[in-house]
Amino acid sequence: MIQKNSSNQRKNKTILVVDDNELNLKVAFQFIRKCGFECQLASNGKEALQIVSKEKISLVLMDLQMPDWDGFVTTEKIRASGIFTPIIALTADVSIDVSNHVKRSGFLDIIHKPFLPEDLVNKIELYAE
């Protein structure tokens, strides 16, 4: 069971979820809000870059496979803009090549899908600024 620790601290943290799948965005939004965090959504990399450029985001959960700008390109553009918000990659790909690419591309960590809800909350609490 997921407990809301320090709900005031969580309420002050905004998690940006970037995914081109509308269902994934809805599920993530409901889950993150249920855990006590604020949540924003972006359906593509360009939208994500606009949001992190203008708003205080505590952590980004970034899908790797998206059209136009994938998660790697989006993260590189965010970093090139001088924004160092923690970014965690979300992917179903468990290959060593992808894990190594994630490490080299400015991500802080990786979460493999499917994941346990508790694991996601633990990573959010560990990395969210």
Side-chain angles (χ1 to χ4, degrees):
M1 181 172 153
I2 299 169
Q3 297 179 351
K4 291 185 182 179
N5 296 335
S6 328
S7 61
N8 283 342
Q9 286 181 327
R10 285 187 176 182
K11 198 72 171 160
N12 293 330
K13 294 184 180 190
T14 301
I15 312 306
L16 173 63
V17 180
V18 186
D19 198 312
D20 62 313
N21 182 300
E22 189 174 327
L23 179 60
N24 287 349
L25 288 175
K26 286 180 182 179
V27 170
F29 182 83
Q30 291 173 348
F31 176 75
I32 290 168
R33 293 293 304 236
K34 181 179 177 186
C35 291
F37 298 100
E38 292 297 322
C39 185
Q40 290 210 30
L41 305 175
S43 59
N44 60 62
K46 291 177 185 176
E47 193 177 332
L49 179 58
Q50 289 174 345
I51 291 170
V52 298
S53 296
K54 295 177 182 173
E55 301 185 32
K56 184 182 182 317
I57 300 296
S58 304
L59 176 75
V60 178
L61 298 175
M62 179 82 66
D63 184 35
L64 292 182
Q65 295 187 352
M66 297 182 291
D68 297 323
W69 295 0
D70 65 15
F72 296 109
V73 170
T74 303
T75 297
E76 289 167 6
K77 289 185 180 287
I78 289 170
R79 297 296 184 237
S81 297
I83 299 166
F84 297 99
T85 301
I87 303 173
I88 297 176
L90 297 176
T91 184
D93 191 333
V94 295
S95 72
I96 296 296
D97 289 340
V98 167
S99 293
N100 287 338
H101 192 186
V102 164
K103 290 176 187 174
R104 291 189 310 269
S105 298
F107 291 91
L108 193 56
D109 206 340
I110 187 170
I111 296 176
H112 295 284
K113 302 176 196 175
F115 49 81
L116 295 172
E118 293 83 6
D119 292 342
L120 179 60
V121 171
N122 288 339
K123 296 250 183 176
I124 291 172
E125 288 188 331
L126 178 64
Y127 296 121
E129 295 179 335

